[in-house]
Amino acid sequence: MIQTSFSYDALPMRVRFGSGVIASLPEEIARLGARRALVLCSPEQRDTGEAIAGALGDRSAGVLAEARMHVPVEVAARARARAAELGADACVAVGGGSAIGLGKAVALEHGLPVVAVPTTYAGSEMTTVWGITENGRKRTGKDPRVLPAAVLYDPDLTLGLPIAMSVTSGFNAVAHAVEALYAPDRSPVVSLMAEEGVRAMTEALPAVFADGGDADARAKALYASWLCGATLGATTMSLHHKLCHALGGTLDLPHAATHTVVLPHALAHNQPAAPDAAEALSRALHADDPARRLWDLAGSLDAPRSLRDLGMSESDIDPICDEVVNAPYANPAPVTRESVRRLLHTAWTGDPPRPRPLKATRP
């Protein structure tokens, strides 16, 4: 069915994509009118961060390798202080959602422009969404100040991404596109990007799994992550992201792996209430039951399929359920305590996704 009523706001950002495009980074910093950029990355990406700083030459203000999942408020505060101390007037965020999220936290406080250099498939670089975790609770919001001024997608930088991380990061990207297909503020443009993003990513991941050095597969996965991230940037999030924000912020579960486990179950909950989205996903995945297809794909790629295996205790289900139900996101299917608890328990055990039961109708 053609959507006949919608609005679409294009985000003001610049994207450069291609093998070796990282060489244009000094040019992009100069284009912003910036003099010195602080490179932000995680401790695991320090070598890459140092290489990026070296490529910046005199335009480098140094490297801060302290990015962590869910952007703890104390890490954000240290990054802001370090940027001010070094006189940085721009940031280069290198890595996945943790590094780019840290760049956004600096931009939110100081208004410094961010150039994002993604090395995973998280997609945060395409959105105005920021998140900071404090006292076990993750706060999120939207602000145009945090949108990267430029994004450099260089598939060469993803060749060293570990296979397991590649798979879960890819599922994280797919989750963005899945929810965009039934978001209340979706548009035909977003739906086209979302369907293509799901198709490209789920085709690329088995090839990446088979050979992490497959340059074509890596480029296809990064292309898919761009599309999936763009859909996240153009729409509001629903039950899946609410669940993952609660699980990550409260229990500090690994971000991409949590998305991987939860996605099939959240989709199974919503499929009956979102027939157009289910039809698009069926085309992209070549499957009658998209939720079950994603669960099966995760298993075939040795991805986690149980919240219990990620470190969640069964006693955590009720507190997470309360957090989700008490402040729900917009969602096509009803979000009740009973249905969310059922969803979480199935995701915790690692059983196949169970469709949301439909209420019986009176004759």
Side-chain angles (χ1 to χ4, degrees), residues 8 13 33 43 51 59 65 78 85 87 126 150 162 174 188 193 198 206 213 249 336:
Y8 173 70
M13 66 189 316
R59 292 189 182 275
R78 284 199 298 273
E85 175 188 342
M126 297 302 296
V174 169
M193 290 192 293
V198 172
T336 66

Side-chain angles (χ1 to χ4, degrees), residues 194-220:
E195 183 175 337
E196 170 65 2
V198 172
R199 183 200 65 78
M201 185 62 80
T202 54
E203 288 180 0
L205 286 181
V208 170
F209 181 76
D211 178 8
D214 185 333
D216 289 339
R218 288 293 190 179
K220 190 172 190 177

Side-chain angles (χ1 to χ4, degrees), residues 4 17 40 76 94 143 148 186-187 194 205 207 246 288 300-301 320:
T4 57
F17 191 107
L40 304 173
V94 182
D143 194 305
R186 67 191 180 279
S187 71
L205 286 181
D288 293 333
S300 72
L301 301 178
I320 295 296

